[in-house]
Amino acid sequence: MEQGGQKPETRAAGAGAAFRLLVLAALAATFAQIVMGGVVRVTGSGLACPDWPLCQGRIIPPLQGAVIIEYSHRLLASLVSVLVIAVAAFTVVRYRRRPEVLAPALLALALLVA
Protein backbone atom coordinates (compact mmCIF):
# COMPACT_ATOMS: atom_id res chain seq x y z
CA MET A 1 0.00 0.00 0.00
CA GLU A 2 1.12 3.47 -0.81
CA GLN A 3 0.26 6.94 0.41
CA GLY A 4 -3.41 7.36 1.39
CA GLY A 5 -3.96 3.59 1.63
CA GLN A 6 -4.32 3.13 -2.15
CA LYS A 7 -2.17 1.31 -4.63
CA PRO A 8 -0.58 3.46 -7.37
CA GLU A 9 -2.75 1.72 -10.00
CA THR A 10 -5.91 2.67 -8.12
CA ARG A 11 -4.85 6.32 -7.87
CA ALA A 12 -3.98 6.36 -11.59
CA ALA A 13 -7.38 4.88 -12.48
CA GLY A 14 -9.10 7.50 -10.32
CA ALA A 15 -7.13 10.28 -11.98
CA GLY A 16 -8.05 8.90 -15.40
CA ALA A 17 -11.74 8.86 -14.50
CA ALA A 18 -11.54 12.39 -13.11
CA PHE A 19 -9.79 13.55 -16.28
CA ARG A 20 -12.45 11.96 -18.48
CA LEU A 21 -15.19 13.60 -16.43
CA LEU A 22 -13.46 16.97 -16.67
CA VAL A 23 -13.02 16.66 -20.44
CA LEU A 24 -16.66 15.61 -20.89
CA ALA A 25 -17.82 18.55 -18.77
CA ALA A 26 -15.73 20.92 -20.92
CA LEU A 27 -17.11 19.35 -24.07
CA ALA A 28 -20.73 19.59 -22.89
CA ALA A 29 -20.29 23.20 -21.75
CA THR A 30 -18.68 24.13 -25.07
CA PHE A 31 -21.55 22.54 -26.99
CA ALA A 32 -24.04 24.41 -24.78
CA GLN A 33 -22.10 27.63 -25.44
CA ILE A 34 -22.44 27.14 -29.19
CA VAL A 35 -26.16 26.43 -28.89
CA MET A 36 -26.61 29.45 -26.61
CA GLY A 37 -24.76 31.59 -29.15
CA GLY A 38 -27.33 30.51 -31.72
CA VAL A 39 -30.13 31.45 -29.34
CA VAL A 40 -28.55 34.88 -28.81
CA ARG A 41 -28.29 35.36 -32.57
CA VAL A 42 -31.81 34.17 -33.41
CA THR A 43 -33.44 36.25 -30.66
CA GLY A 44 -31.40 39.37 -31.44
CA SER A 45 -30.20 39.55 -27.85
CA GLY A 46 -26.57 40.32 -28.73
CA LEU A 47 -26.75 43.97 -27.74
CA ALA A 48 -28.80 43.47 -24.56
CA CYS A 49 -25.57 43.83 -22.55
CA PRO A 50 -23.74 46.70 -24.27
CA ASP A 51 -20.83 46.97 -21.83
CA TRP A 52 -18.17 44.54 -20.66
CA PRO A 53 -17.50 43.05 -18.13
CA LEU A 54 -20.65 44.50 -16.59
CA CYS A 55 -24.10 44.22 -18.14
CA GLN A 56 -26.01 47.48 -18.22
CA GLY A 57 -23.56 48.84 -15.66
CA ARG A 58 -24.23 46.07 -13.13
CA ILE A 59 -22.67 42.79 -12.09
CA ILE A 60 -26.14 41.20 -11.96
CA PRO A 61 -28.29 42.85 -14.65
CA PRO A 62 -32.05 43.37 -14.56
CA LEU A 63 -33.94 40.16 -15.24
CA GLN A 64 -35.48 40.91 -18.62
CA GLY A 65 -35.85 38.53 -21.58
CA ALA A 66 -33.03 39.58 -23.92
CA VAL A 67 -30.73 40.50 -21.04
CA ILE A 68 -31.16 37.07 -19.45
CA ILE A 69 -30.31 35.36 -22.75
CA GLU A 70 -27.18 37.43 -23.37
CA TYR A 71 -26.05 37.28 -19.75
CA SER A 72 -26.50 33.49 -19.69
CA HIS A 73 -24.27 33.31 -22.76
CA ARG A 74 -21.61 35.32 -20.91
CA LEU A 75 -21.84 33.16 -17.80
CA LEU A 76 -21.59 30.01 -19.88
CA ALA A 77 -18.50 31.44 -21.59
CA SER A 78 -16.94 31.91 -18.16
CA LEU A 79 -17.68 28.30 -17.26
CA VAL A 80 -16.19 27.06 -20.55
CA SER A 81 -13.06 29.14 -19.89
CA VAL A 82 -12.59 27.68 -16.40
CA LEU A 83 -13.11 24.13 -17.68
CA VAL A 84 -10.70 24.49 -20.62
CA ILE A 85 -8.04 25.96 -18.32
CA ALA A 86 -8.63 23.10 -15.86
CA VAL A 87 -8.28 20.49 -18.63
CA ALA A 88 -5.03 22.08 -19.81
CA ALA A 89 -3.62 22.29 -16.28
CA PHE A 90 -4.62 18.71 -15.46
CA THR A 91 -3.06 17.54 -18.72
CA VAL A 92 0.22 19.33 -18.07
CA VAL A 93 0.41 17.86 -14.57
CA ARG A 94 -0.66 14.27 -15.31
CA TYR A 95 -0.18 13.66 -19.05
CA ARG A 96 2.71 15.92 -20.11
CA ARG A 97 4.62 12.93 -21.54
CA ARG A 98 1.70 11.89 -23.77
CA PRO A 99 1.67 14.20 -26.80
CA GLU A 100 -1.60 12.73 -28.10
CA VAL A 101 -3.27 14.08 -24.93
CA LEU A 102 -1.14 17.16 -24.31
CA ALA A 103 -1.33 18.68 -27.81
CA PRO A 104 -5.15 18.89 -28.05
CA ALA A 105 -5.42 20.28 -24.52
CA LEU A 106 -2.87 23.00 -25.22
CA LEU A 107 -4.49 23.72 -28.58
CA ALA A 108 -7.85 24.18 -26.84
CA LEU A 109 -6.19 26.58 -24.40
CA ALA A 110 -4.57 28.54 -27.26
CA LEU A 111 -7.92 28.76 -29.07
CA LEU A 112 -9.56 30.01 -25.87
CA VAL A 113 -6.95 32.76 -25.55
CA ALA A 114 -7.26 33.66 -29.24
Side-chain angles (χ1 to χ4, degrees):
M1 293 275 168
E2 291 279 325
Q3 179 183 26
Q6 292 180 335
K7 294 181 180 179
E9 301 85 29
T10 306
R11 280 197 315 268
F19 181 68
R20 280 191 297 279
L21 184 62
L22 182 60
V23 170
L24 287 174
L27 179 65
T30 302
F31 180 76
Q33 175 72 15
I34 292 167
V35 170
M36 195 65 197
V39 171
V40 169
R41 174 77 171 105
V42 167
T43 60
S45 302
L47 296 177
C49 291
D51 49 343
W52 177 261
L54 301 176
C55 181
Q56 297 187 355
R58 302 178 186 176
I59 293 175
I60 305 292
L63 301 177
Q64 302 163 343
V67 175
I68 292 171
I69 293 169
E70 172 60 16
Y71 196 65
S72 297
H73 187 252
R74 286 186 180 192
L75 291 176
L76 196 50
S78 299
L79 176 63
V80 168
S81 298
V82 168
L83 289 171
V84 168
I85 291 166
V87 167
F90 196 109
T91 303
V92 167
V93 170
R94 296 289 298 200
Y95 298 104
R96 66 182 160 272
R97 290 186 177 90
R98 295 193 49 196
E100 71 276 11
V101 178
L102 183 63
L106 295 180
L107 177 61
L109 183 61
L111 289 172
L112 176 70
V113 171

